[in-house]
Coordinates of all heavy atoms in Angstrom, one line a residue:
M626 N 106.0 75.8 71.3 CA 106.2 74.8 72.4 C 107.3 75.3 73.3 O 107.2 75.3 74.5 CB 106.6 73.4 71.8 CG 105.4 72.7 71.2 SD 106.0 71.2 70.3 CE 106.5 70.2 71.7
D627 N 108.4 75.8 72.7 CA 109.5 76.3 73.5 C 109.1 77.5 74.3 O 109.4 77.5 75.6 CB 110.7 76.7 72.6 CG 111.4 75.5 72.0 OD1 111.2 74.4 72.4 OD2 112.1 75.7 71.0
Y628 N 108.4 78.4 73.7 CA 108.1 79.6 74.4 C 107.0 79.4 75.5 O 107.2 79.8 76.6 CB 107.5 80.6 73.4 CG 107.8 82.1 73.7 CD1 107.8 83.0 72.6 CD2 108.1 82.5 75.0 CE1 108.1 84.4 72.9 CE2 108.4 83.8 75.2 CZ 108.4 84.8 74.2 OH 108.6 86.1 74.5
S629 N 106.0 78.6 75.2 CA 105.0 78.3 76.2 C 105.5 77.5 77.3 O 105.2 77.7 78.5 CB 103.8 77.6 75.6 OG 104.1 76.3 75.1
G630 N 106.4 76.5 77.0 CA 107.1 75.8 78.1 C 107.9 76.6 79.0 O 107.9 76.5 80.2
D631 N 108.7 77.5 78.4 CA 109.5 78.4 79.2 C 108.7 79.4 80.1 O 109.0 79.6 81.2 CB 110.5 79.2 78.3 CG 111.6 78.4 77.7 OD1 111.8 77.3 78.2 OD2 112.2 78.9 76.7
L632 N 107.6 79.9 79.4 CA 106.8 80.8 80.2 C 106.1 80.1 81.3 O 105.8 80.7 82.4 CB 105.7 81.4 79.2 CG 106.2 82.5 78.3 CD1 105.2 82.8 77.3 CD2 106.7 83.7 79.1
Q633 N 105.7 78.8 81.1 CA 105.1 78.1 82.2 C 106.0 78.0 83.4 O 105.6 78.2 84.6 CB 104.8 76.6 81.7 CG 104.1 75.8 82.8 CD 103.8 74.4 82.2 OE1 104.1 74.1 81.1 NE2 103.1 73.6 83.0
Q634 N 107.3 77.8 83.2 CA 108.2 77.7 84.3 C 108.4 79.1 85.0 O 108.5 79.2 86.2 CB 109.6 77.1 83.9 CG 109.4 75.7 83.4 CD 108.8 74.7 84.4 OE1 109.1 74.7 85.5 NE2 107.8 74.0 83.9
A635 N 108.5 80.1 84.1 CA 108.8 81.5 84.6 C 107.5 81.9 85.4 O 107.7 82.6 86.5 CB 109.0 82.4 83.5
Y636 N 106.4 81.6 84.9 CA 105.1 82.0 85.7 C 105.0 81.3 87.0 O 104.6 81.9 88.0 CB 103.9 81.7 84.8 CG 102.8 82.7 85.1 CD1 102.6 83.8 84.3 CD2 101.9 82.5 86.2 CE1 101.6 84.7 84.6 CE2 100.9 83.4 86.5 CZ 100.7 84.5 85.7 OH 99.7 85.4 86.0
R637 N 105.4 80.1 87.0 CA 105.4 79.3 88.3 C 106.3 80.0 89.3 O 105.9 80.2 90.5 CB 105.7 77.9 88.1 CG 105.8 77.0 89.3 CD 106.3 75.6 89.1 NE 106.3 74.8 90.3 CZ 105.3 74.2 90.8 NH1 104.2 74.1 90.1 NH2 105.5 73.5 91.9
A638 N 107.5 80.3 88.9 CA 108.5 81.0 89.8 C 108.0 82.3 90.3 O 108.1 82.6 91.5 CB 109.8 81.1 89.1
A639 N 107.4 83.1 89.4 CA 106.8 84.4 89.8 C 105.7 84.3 90.8 O 105.6 85.0 91.7 CB 106.4 85.2 88.5
W640 N 104.8 83.3 90.5 CA 103.7 83.0 91.4 C 104.2 82.7 92.8 O 103.8 83.3 93.8 CB 102.9 81.9 90.9 CG 101.6 81.6 91.7 CD1 101.6 80.9 92.9 CD2 100.3 81.9 91.3 NE1 100.3 80.8 93.3 CE2 99.5 81.4 92.3 CE3 99.7 82.5 90.2 CZ2 98.1 81.5 92.3 CZ3 98.3 82.6 90.2 CH2 97.5 82.1 91.2
L641 N 105.1 81.8 92.9 CA 105.6 81.4 94.3 C 106.5 82.4 94.9 O 106.7 82.3 96.2 CB 106.4 80.1 94.1 CG 105.5 78.8 93.7 CD1 106.4 77.6 93.5 CD2 104.5 78.6 94.8
D642 N 106.9 83.4 94.2 CA 107.7 84.5 94.8 C 106.7 85.5 95.5 O 107.2 86.2 96.4 CB 108.5 85.2 93.8 CG 109.6 86.1 94.4 OD1 110.2 85.7 95.3 OD2 109.7 87.3 93.9
S643 N 105.4 85.5 95.1 CA 104.5 86.4 95.7 C 103.3 85.8 96.5 O 102.8 86.4 97.4 CB 103.8 87.2 94.5 OG 104.8 88.0 93.8
Y644 N 103.0 84.6 96.1 CA 101.8 84.0 96.6 C 102.0 82.6 97.3 O 103.0 82.0 97.1 CB 100.8 83.7 95.4 CG 100.5 85.0 94.6 CD1 100.5 84.9 93.2 CD2 100.2 86.2 95.1 CE1 100.2 86.0 92.4 CE2 100.0 87.3 94.4 CZ 100.0 87.2 93.0 OH 99.7 88.3 92.2
T645 N 101.0 82.2 98.0 CA 100.9 80.8 98.5 C 100.6 79.9 97.3 O 100.2 80.3 96.2 CB 99.9 80.6 99.6 OG1 98.6 80.7 99.0 CG2 100.0 81.7 100.6
P646 N 100.8 78.6 97.5 CA 100.5 77.6 96.4 C 99.0 77.5 96.0 O 98.7 76.9 95.0 CB 101.0 76.3 96.9 CG 102.0 76.6 98.0 CD 101.5 77.9 98.6
Y647 N 98.1 78.2 96.8 CA 96.7 78.1 96.5 C 96.4 78.6 95.1 O 96.8 79.7 94.7 CB 95.9 79.0 97.5 CG 94.4 79.1 97.2 CD1 93.6 78.0 97.3 CD2 93.9 80.4 96.9 CE1 92.2 78.2 97.0 CE2 92.5 80.5 96.6 CZ 91.7 79.4 96.7 OH 90.4 79.5 96.4
R648 N 95.7 77.8 94.3 CA 95.3 78.0 92.9 C 96.5 78.0 91.9 O 96.3 78.2 90.7 CB 94.5 79.3 92.8 CG 93.1 79.2 93.2 CD 92.3 80.4 92.9 NE 90.9 80.1 93.1 CZ 89.9 81.0 93.3 NH1 90.2 82.3 93.3 NH2 88.7 80.7 93.4
L649 N 97.6 77.6 92.4 CA 98.8 77.5 91.4 C 98.5 76.3 90.5 O 98.8 76.4 89.3 CB 100.1 77.2 92.2 CG 101.3 77.0 91.3 CD1 101.6 78.1 90.4 CD2 102.5 76.7 92.2
G650 N 97.8 75.2 91.0 CA 97.5 74.1 90.1 C 96.6 74.5 89.0 O 96.7 74.0 87.9
T651 N 95.6 75.4 89.3 CA 94.7 75.9 88.3 C 95.4 76.6 87.2 O 95.2 76.4 86.0 CB 93.6 76.8 88.9 OG1 92.9 76.1 89.9 CG2 92.7 77.3 87.9
V652 N 96.3 77.5 87.6 CA 97.1 78.3 86.6 C 98.0 77.4 85.8 O 98.1 77.5 84.6 CB 97.8 79.4 87.3 CG1 98.7 80.2 86.3 CG2 96.9 80.4 88.0
M653 N 98.7 76.5 86.5 CA 99.6 75.6 85.7 C 98.8 74.7 84.8 O 99.4 74.2 83.8 CB 100.5 74.8 86.7 CG 101.5 75.7 87.5 SD 102.7 76.5 86.4 CE 102.1 78.1 86.3
G654 N 97.6 74.3 85.2 CA 96.8 73.5 84.3 C 96.5 74.2 83.0 O 96.5 73.6 81.9
K655 N 96.3 75.6 83.0 CA 96.1 76.3 81.8 C 97.4 76.3 80.9 O 97.4 76.1 79.7 CB 95.8 77.8 82.1 CG 94.4 78.0 82.7 CD 94.1 79.4 82.9 CE 92.7 79.7 83.5 NZ 92.4 81.1 83.6
W656 N 98.5 76.5 81.6 CA 99.8 76.5 80.9 C 100.1 75.1 80.3 O 100.6 75.0 79.2 CB 100.9 76.9 81.8 CG 101.0 78.4 81.9 CD1 100.8 79.2 83.0 CD2 101.4 79.3 80.8 NE1 101.0 80.5 82.6 CE2 101.4 80.6 81.3 CE3 101.8 79.1 79.5 CZ2 101.7 81.7 80.6 CZ3 102.1 80.2 78.7 CH2 102.1 81.5 79.3
N657 N 99.8 74.1 81.0 CA 100.0 72.7 80.5 C 99.2 72.4 79.3 O 99.6 71.8 78.3 CB 99.8 71.7 81.6 CG 100.1 70.3 81.2 OD1 101.3 70.0 80.8 ND2 99.2 69.4 81.2
A658 N 97.9 72.9 79.4 CA 97.0 72.7 78.2 C 97.5 73.5 77.0 O 97.4 73.0 75.9 CB 95.6 73.2 78.6
E659 N 98.1 74.7 77.3 CA 98.7 75.4 76.2 C 99.8 74.7 75.5 O 99.9 74.6 74.3 CB 99.2 76.8 76.7 CG 99.7 77.7 75.6 CD 98.6 78.4 74.8 OE1 97.4 78.3 75.1 OE2 98.9 79.0 73.8
F660 N 100.7 74.2 76.3 CA 101.8 73.4 75.8 C 101.3 72.2 75.0 O 101.8 71.8 73.9 CB 102.8 73.0 76.9 CG 104.0 72.2 76.4 CD1 105.1 72.8 75.9 CD2 103.9 70.8 76.4 CE1 106.2 72.0 75.4 CE2 105.0 70.0 76.0 CZ 106.1 70.6 75.5
Q661 N 100.4 71.4 75.7 CA 99.9 70.2 75.1 C 99.2 70.5 73.7 O 99.2 69.6 72.8 CB 98.9 69.5 76.0 CG 99.5 68.9 77.3 CD 100.4 67.7 76.9 OE1 100.1 66.9 76.1 NE2 101.5 67.6 77.6
Y662 N 98.6 71.6 73.6 CA 97.9 72.0 72.3 C 98.9 71.9 71.2 O 98.7 71.3 70.2 CB 97.3 73.4 72.4 CG 96.6 73.8 71.2 CD1 95.3 73.6 71.0 CD2 97.3 74.5 70.2 CE1 94.6 74.1 69.8 CE2 96.7 74.9 69.0 CZ 95.4 74.7 68.8 OH 94.8 75.1 67.7
W663 N 100.1 72.6 71.4 CA 101.1 72.6 70.3 C 101.7 71.3 70.1 O 102.0 70.9 69.0 CB 102.1 73.7 70.6 CG 101.5 75.1 70.7 CD1 101.4 75.9 71.8 CD2 100.8 75.8 69.7 NE1 100.8 77.0 71.5 CE2 100.3 77.0 70.2 CE3 100.4 75.5 68.4 CZ2 99.6 77.9 69.5 CZ3 99.7 76.4 67.6 CH2 99.3 77.6 68.2
W664 N 102.0 70.6 71.2 CA 102.6 69.2 71.0 C 101.7 68.3 70.3 O 102.1 67.6 69.4 CB 102.9 68.7 72.4 CG 103.6 67.3 72.4 CD1 104.9 67.1 72.1 CD2 103.0 66.1 72.5 NE1 105.2 65.8 72.2 CE2 104.0 65.1 72.4 CE3 101.7 65.6 72.8 CZ2 103.8 63.7 72.5 CZ3 101.4 64.3 72.9 CH2 102.5 63.3 72.7
K665 N 100.4 68.3 70.6 CA 99.4 67.5 69.9 C 99.3 67.9 68.4 O 99.2 67.0 67.5 CB 98.1 67.5 70.6 CG 98.1 66.8 71.9 CD 96.7 66.9 72.6 CE 96.7 66.2 74.0 NZ 95.4 66.4 74.7
L666 N 99.3 69.2 68.2 CA 99.2 69.7 66.8 C 100.4 69.2 66.0 O 100.3 68.8 64.8 CB 99.1 71.2 66.8 CG 98.9 71.8 65.4 CD1 97.6 71.4 64.7 CD2 99.0 73.4 65.5
E667 N 101.6 69.3 66.6 CA 102.8 68.8 65.9 C 102.7 67.4 65.6 O 103.0 67.0 64.4 CB 104.0 69.0 66.8 CG 105.3 68.6 66.2 CD 106.5 68.7 67.2 OE1 106.4 67.9 68.2 OE2 107.4 69.5 67.0
R668 N 102.2 66.5 66.5 CA 102.0 65.1 66.2 C 101.0 64.9 65.1 O 101.2 64.0 64.2 CB 101.6 64.4 67.5 CG 102.6 64.4 68.6 CD 104.0 64.1 68.3 NE 104.1 62.8 67.5 CZ 105.1 62.4 66.8 NH1 106.2 63.2 66.7 NH2 105.1 61.3 66.2
R669 N 99.9 65.6 65.1 CA 98.9 65.4 64.1 C 99.4 65.8 62.7 O 99.2 65.1 61.7 CB 97.7 66.3 64.4 CG 96.9 65.7 65.6 CD 95.6 66.5 65.9 NE 95.0 65.9 67.0 CZ 93.7 66.2 67.4 NH1 93.0 67.1 66.7 NH2 93.2 65.7 68.5
F670 N 100.2 66.9 62.6 CA 100.9 67.2 61.3 C 101.8 66.1 60.9 O 101.9 65.7 59.7 CB 101.6 68.5 61.5 CG 100.7 69.8 61.4 CD1 99.4 69.7 61.3 CD2 101.3 71.0 61.3 CE1 98.6 70.8 61.2 CE2 100.5 72.2 61.2 CZ 99.2 72.1 61.1
H671 N 102.6 65.6 61.8 CA 103.6 64.5 61.5 C 102.8 63.3 61.0 O 103.2 62.7 60.0 CB 104.4 64.2 62.7 CG 105.5 65.2 63.0 ND1 106.3 65.1 64.1 CD2 105.9 66.3 62.4 CE1 107.1 66.1 64.1 NE2 106.9 66.9 63.1
D672 N 101.8 62.9 61.7 CA 101.0 61.7 61.3 C 100.4 61.9 60.0 O 100.4 60.9 59.1 CB 100.0 61.4 62.4 CG 100.5 61.0 63.7 OD1 101.7 60.6 63.7 OD2 99.8 61.0 64.7
F673 N 99.9 63.1 59.7 CA 99.2 63.3 58.4 C 100.3 63.2 57.3 O 100.1 62.6 56.2 CB 98.5 64.6 58.4 CG 97.8 64.9 57.0 CD1 96.6 64.3 56.7 CD2 98.4 65.7 56.1 CE1 96.0 64.6 55.5 CE2 97.8 66.0 54.9 CZ 96.6 65.4 54.6
E674 N 101.4 63.8 57.5 CA 102.5 63.9 56.5 C 103.0 62.4 56.2 O 103.2 62.1 55.1 CB 103.7 64.7 57.0 CG 104.8 64.9 55.9 CD 106.0 65.6 56.4 OE1 105.9 66.2 57.6 OE2 107.0 65.6 55.7
A675 N 103.1 61.6 57.3 CA 103.6 60.3 57.1 C 102.7 59.4 56.3 O 103.1 58.5 55.6 CB 103.9 59.7 58.5
A676 N 101.4 59.7 56.5 CA 100.4 58.8 55.8 C 99.9 59.4 54.5 O 99.2 58.7 53.7 CB 99.1 58.7 56.7
F677 N 100.4 60.5 54.1 CA 99.9 61.2 52.9 C 100.4 60.5 51.7 O 101.6 60.0 51.6 CB 100.4 62.7 52.9 CG 100.0 63.4 51.7 CD1 98.7 64.0 51.6 CD2 100.8 63.6 50.6 CE1 98.3 64.7 50.5 CE2 100.4 64.3 49.5 CZ 99.1 64.9 49.5
R678 N 99.5 60.4 50.7 CA 99.9 59.8 49.4 C 99.5 60.8 48.3 O 98.5 61.5 48.4 CB 99.1 58.5 49.2 CG 99.6 57.4 50.2 CD 101.0 56.9 49.9 NE 101.4 55.9 50.9 CZ 102.0 56.2 52.0 NH1 102.3 57.4 52.4 NH2 102.4 55.2 52.8

Side-chain angles (χ1 to χ4, degrees):
M626 289 173 64
D627 290 344
Y628 214 156
S629 64
D631 289 346
L632 286 172
Q633 180 176 5
Q634 298 306 312
Y636 208 95
R637 178 185 180 87
W640 184 285
L641 291 175
D642 196 44
S643 298
Y644 307 134
T645 71
Y647 173 65
R648 282 189 166 157
L649 177 59
T651 300
V652 174
M653 289 300 101
K655 291 183 178 183
W656 278 111
N657 186 59
E659 184 76 10
F660 178 86
Q661 289 293 323
Y662 179 94
W663 299 118
W664 183 79
K665 290 177 181 178
L666 182 63
E667 181 187 65
R668 298 311 309 164
R669 291 184 179 191
F670 278 8
H671 284 178
D672 291 346
F673 180 80
E674 183 186 353
F677 182 80
R678 296 292 180 267

